[in-house]
Amino acid sequence: MRGILRKEELKPKFEKFLSWLEEIEPRNKGKYSMSKAIQYVLNNKEGLMEFTNDAIIPHDNTSCERSIRPFVVIRNRCKFSVSVHGAQASAMIYSLVISCIENKQNPYMYFTHLFENLPKLDLTNKEELRKYLPYSRELPSYIRTLSKSEIKAILNEAKSQV
């Protein structure tokens, strides 16, 4: 359905936009940034037109921008580290946070678990330390991030017991 609407509604509008760009292109030759933008669109119009043919192709890059935003934010924060060691430490912590998220672990609970248990460990024993990495199956279950459906099931079970 969305694909049909794109072809019927967006394709004619995009074609009209391309025609307008072709019309104004000669008048913008001296304006470098505008001329460059117009030339980019006109040189790539076939590829840019693809979003009108397939509803799976997003018409903007919002989701991509949203997914890389955390990396850009941390990169900018690391610029203000006082030392190289501080920047490296920040990057390592951030890497652990992202690893927690990717492995469906709650970062706060994970770090709480680490801070409680690492002082008790032999830090030279790599096999023992491996058990504390975010992907380890030996981490306690309370660290795991619950999905919305899991939370609802727990709440429903608690209501039925009351």
Side-chain angles (χ1 to χ4, degrees):
M1 183 67 175
R2 285 176 24 192
I4 295 169
L5 287 175
R6 279 192 184 196
K7 285 183 181 178
E8 290 176 359
E9 295 179 17
L10 285 179
K11 194 169 187 172
K13 289 178 183 178
F14 194 68
E15 288 170 344
K16 187 175 179 181
F17 171 69
L18 291 172
S19 297
W20 176 74
L21 286 179
E22 288 170 349
E23 179 186 319
I24 67 162
E25 191 254 338
R27 290 182 272 159
N28 286 284
K29 286 283 188 203
K31 301 170 184 149
Y32 183 71
S33 55
M34 179 60 81
S35 177
K36 194 173 177 181
I38 292 170
Q39 278 305 308
Y40 175 83
V41 172
L42 294 176
N43 291 340
N44 296 290
K45 61 185 171 185
E46 288 81 21
L48 293 170
M49 183 77 80
E50 276 305 306
F51 85 94
T52 63
N53 298 324
D54 191 348
I56 293 174
I57 300 171
H59 63 281
D60 63 17
N61 68 344
T62 304
S63 62
C64 178
E65 293 282 342
R66 194 178 307 119
S67 67
I68 66 169
R69 186 177 187 283
F71 298 101
V72 173
V73 169
I74 195 66
R75 181 194 68 207
N76 289 337
R77 286 184 184 158
C78 287
K79 288 179 187 175
F80 300 104
S81 293
V82 177
S83 68
V84 172
H85 293 295
Q88 289 172 338
S90 295
M92 284 185 236
I93 296 294
Y94 184 68
S95 177
L96 276 173
V97 169
I98 295 300
S99 294
C100 283
I101 293 166
E102 290 297 315
N103 287 284
K104 311 245 185 301
Q105 307 293 348
N106 178 317
Y108 177 82
M109 297 303 292
Y110 173 76
F111 281 105
T112 300
H113 178 70
L114 279 186
F115 295 144
E116 288 173 353
N117 291 287
L118 284 181
K120 304 171 195 171
L121 298 176
D122 173 13
L123 300 180
T124 61
N125 185 341
K126 290 183 180 181
E127 288 305 312
E128 186 67 22
L129 287 175
R130 189 167 276 122
K131 295 176 185 176
Y132 287 86
L133 291 173
Y135 59 79
S136 174
R137 293 192 174 148
E138 296 184 38
L139 290 172
S141 62
Y142 69 85
I143 295 175
R144 193 170 63 85
T145 303
L146 300 175
S147 68
K148 288 181 181 180
S149 60
E150 289 171 318
I151 293 169
K152 284 181 184 178
I154 291 168
L155 292 174
N156 288 335
E157 186 179 319
K159 283 180 186 177
S160 67
Q161 291 177 356
V162 173

